[in-house]
Amino acid sequence: MESGGNSLPSGPDGVKRKVSYFYDPEVGNYYYGQGHPMKPHRIRMTHALLAHYGLLQHMQVLKPTPAKDRDLCKFHADDYVNFLRAITPETQQDQLRQLKRFNVGEDCPVFDGLYSFCQTYAGGSVAGAVRLNQGGSDIAINWAGGLHHAKKCEASGFCYVNDIVLAILELLKVHERVLYVDIDIHHGDGVEEAFYTTDRVMTVSFHKFGDYFPGTGDIHDVGYDKGKYYSLNVPLDDGIDDESYQSLFKPIIGKVMEVYKPGAVILQCGADSLSGDRLGCFNLSIKGHAECVRFMRSFNVPLLLLGGGGYTIRNVARCWCYETGVALGIELDDKMPQHEYYEYFGPEYTLHVAPSNMENKNSRQLLEEIRAKLLDYLSKLQHAPSVQFQERPPDTELPEVDEDQDDGDKRWGPDSDMDSDDDCKPLPSRVKREYIEPEHIDPASNMMEIDEPRIVVEQNNSNKTSDQHLETKS
């Protein structure tokens, strides 16, 4: 088992990295429903920008194999996975008790092809982790992934399956320690909760805190038992700008990398922390957001980049396109090339957008107090934890297929899910954008028991579902 640290050749940050990019051309067809802010269509828009900026030719483009039932059940409860596989818009009225039990139906609606959607985005994240484990790539990217709110037994915050937890479990087969960093505006509660009692995974979440979904992520929440001080939370207020954000991100993450020495890193790049997001209230520029990617890349540690939130979809596509360029070490022209979604980006037709003049409610004193508190927590970690060497579980078998570039670049007509960013109706109750009271979470309820790696013998399970493809929006 690798001990972590700089497992890739060291060198200047400008050095090219081997990048694998996972994309299923069907993912943009799934549709959460009229008025819902989550639109998987943004993944297709991102892919179009990558194609027309010429970035696809600089990385390996792979179509992920959908995750199987047994893959999802490595974290999620069997009955929850069975429910997701079986539920349809036509049958949901007959299963109201189950819908309530699994928190499906409001901000996590039932839509056509729901389970196939979950298999697709989870498959990309797990395949990215496998590729990093095998040394086939320095950086793996799955912009369809990053759905960090899903719990072991329930959906939450537009997320049904927690692909991040599944990817971390895959990475733990090879690496003693895995670092998870979350720059979505919402707290990465599902991932933190899963690994709250272990020191083999460190989670660090930068998020809006205070009367904001999901209501968790206080600076004093630091983990429990063996996991104490291995969960870090950076609670932020409205209007934080690039300079303020980086004044926390770089010293905290720099110290984490020094003390924890992870063998692999997952960075969840939720774009709802950008200025002007429909559900967000931060004021980051795309370059400021991407500086987090650039900084993580500089450590030369295997890196998995995932998507997440982001609800002004033209800016989501801009952001993840630019961050793909950062991963590749390629600076992109601000003038946007003509492509099939060009009209989304007017009147500027540029890759970057200026932040607004909104007030930054994060005072220098507040930022200094947060930084000092978190660095104090990190000082309590004496050394990077290790685990006893033993035979590791076999890699998940996910035979990826090279995505045919022509097929991958096909687009559907403007009638599929070309909803404008501003035409959505408000959703009824418990929606991610609404302010809710923090809910108490039992720190022992959804933990993963992974203090020691276990060998998982995978049976040849032939449970397969038909590919139901929908119009979906993310």
Side-chain angles (χ1 to χ4, degrees):
M1 184 175 286
E2 297 176 8
S3 61
N6 288 353
S7 57
L8 303 182
S10 60
D13 189 45
V15 171
K16 294 289 186 282
R17 305 287 199 271
K18 291 184 296 182
V19 178
S20 295
Y21 165 72
F22 292 87
Y23 176 73
D24 187 323
E26 294 290 343
V27 75
N29 280 351
Y30 296 97
Y31 184 66
Y32 274 60
Q34 183 176 6
H36 199 291
M38 184 63 147
K39 303 171 187 273
H41 180 59
R42 68 203 174 135
I43 309 301
R44 187 187 301 151
M45 291 172 60
T46 301
H47 186 78
L49 280 180
L50 297 178
H52 288 272
Y53 266 107
L55 294 182
L56 297 182
Q57 62 190 329
H58 295 283
M59 50 189 181
Q60 187 168 26
V61 181
L62 298 165
K63 180 178 179 181
T65 299
K68 296 181 173 64
D69 295 3
R70 65 174 181 265
D71 301 320
L72 303 183
C73 289
K74 289 175 182 176
F75 171 57
H76 293 286
D78 292 7
D79 54 353
Y80 175 55
V81 172
N82 291 337
F83 167 80
L84 290 177
R85 185 177 63 243
I87 194 72
T88 68
E90 292 74 31
T91 64
Q92 63 177 323
Q93 290 305 314
D94 301 327
Q95 301 190 50
L96 296 180
R97 173 179 276 183
Q98 292 283 78
L99 289 168
K100 184 175 182 180
R101 175 188 174 193
F102 297 122
N103 194 33
V104 172
E106 294 185 354
D107 53 346
C108 300
V110 177
F111 54 83
D112 287 336
L114 168 59
Y115 191 63
S116 294
F117 174 62
C118 295
Q119 291 178 294
T120 297
Y121 75 75
S125 297
V126 172
V130 169
R131 191 149 194 88
L132 294 178
N133 280 351
Q134 294 173 343
S137 301
D138 304 330
I139 301 173
I141 300 172
N142 176 32
W143 294 129
L147 277 68
H148 58 174
H149 294 305
K151 309 297 197 304
K152 181 176 182 177
C153 302
E154 70 173 43
S156 177
F158 314 161
C159 307
Y160 303 86
V161 164
N162 200 314
D163 60 291
I164 305 167
V165 171
L166 298 173
I168 290 172
L169 292 174
E170 193 67 35
L171 291 170
L172 286 171
K173 294 177 180 179
V174 169
H175 303 283
E176 292 182 5
R177 295 174 300 282
V178 174
L179 171 64
Y180 172 68
V181 181
D182 190 316
I183 60 173
D184 192 291
I185 196 172
H186 299 94
H187 177 228
D189 58 336
V191 184
E192 176 186 277
E193 201 174 293
F195 300 107
Y196 206 63
T197 60
T198 180
D199 58 8
R200 292 197 61 205
V201 179
M202 176 172 264
T203 63
V204 187
S205 177
F206 297 77
H207 51 268
K208 158 74 175 174
F209 182 73
D211 199 22
Y212 198 74
F213 184 90
T216 51
D218 189 281
I219 195 169
H220 301 293
D221 297 335
V222 294
Y224 182 75
D225 196 28
K226 283 187 71 174
K228 189 171 184 180
Y229 302 122
Y230 292 96
S231 292
L232 297 182
N233 286 293
V234 189
L236 304 169
D237 208 342
D238 295 4
I240 193 164
D241 56 24
D242 294 349
E243 181 183 3
S244 297
Y245 201 90
Q246 293 304 324
S247 75
L248 292 177
F249 188 87
K250 289 184 176 179
I252 292 168
I253 295 300
K255 191 65 175 178
V256 166
M257 295 297 290
E258 174 191 333
V259 173
Y260 191 62
K261 295 181 171 58
V265 176
I266 295 181
L267 178 61
Q268 195 265 24
C269 303
D272 46 8
S273 47
L274 291 173
S275 179
D277 188 80
R278 279 180 46 204
L279 305 192
C281 54
F282 283 180
N283 199 22
L284 298 183
S285 71
I286 288 171
K287 285 189 175 180
H289 194 273
E291 187 61 28
C292 299
V293 178
R294 195 182 309 275
F295 190 64
M296 296 312 312
R297 181 187 190 270
S298 71
F299 290 98
N300 301 308
V301 172
L303 177 62
L304 178 59
L305 298 179
L306 302 177
Y311 308 101
T312 299
I313 60 175
R314 57 184 179 273
N315 290 346
V316 176
R318 285 172 159 126
C319 181
W320 292 345
C321 174
Y322 184 74
E323 290 177 345
T324 303
V326 169
L328 289 163
I330 298 173
E331 185 64 31
L332 301 180
D333 189 354
D334 188 37
K335 181 177 171 57
M336 191 170 287
Q338 286 274 356
H339 64 288
E340 50 269 50
Y341 302 115
Y342 191 67
E343 69 276 12
Y344 273 62
F345 301 95
E348 307 91 352
Y349 303 105
T350 56
L351 191 60
H352 296 281
V353 291
S356 73
N357 60 357
M358 71 184 298
E359 177 190 1
N360 183 356
K361 294 185 178 179
N362 300 270
S363 67
R364 287 187 181 275
Q365 179 181 351
L366 174 66
L367 295 170
E368 179 54 42
E369 289 172 357
I370 292 172
R371 182 167 59 245
K373 187 72 172 174
L374 290 164
L375 292 177
D376 177 60
Y377 288 153
L378 287 167
S379 73
K380 300 179 189 303
L381 303 180
Q382 298 302 314
H383 54 80
S386 60
V387 296
Q388 183 178 358
F389 182 86
Q390 53 184 284
E391 185 178 357
R392 74 174 179 86
D395 284 341
T396 297
E397 295 181 9
L398 289 174
E400 300 99 18
V401 180
D402 275 308
E403 174 62 27
D404 181 275
Q405 190 159 317
D406 290 335
D407 289 346
D409 294 344
K410 282 183 181 177
R411 296 292 172 270
W412 285 257
D415 296 330
S416 57
D417 32 291
M418 300 282 281
D419 298 356
S420 71
D421 293 332
D422 304 312
D423 63 358
C424 292
K425 301 172 184 176
L427 295 176
S429 74
R430 289 201 65 197
V431 174
K432 201 181 203 176
R433 73 175 117 186
E434 294 191 346
Y435 296 144
I436 64 169
E437 291 298 319
E439 297 179 8
H440 173 74
I441 292 179
D442 179 356
S445 61
N446 287 329
M447 309 307 169
M448 297 302 301
E449 296 183 2
I450 53 156
D451 293 337
E452 298 295 340
R454 297 176 303 175
I455 297 177
V456 179
V457 180
E458 295 192 7
Q459 303 294 329
N460 186 8
N461 189 340
S462 60
N463 287 344
K464 294 182 180 178
T465 58
S466 60
D467 292 332
Q468 302 176 35
H469 297 304
L470 279 199
E471 298 181 358
T472 310
K473 52 182 174 178
S474 184

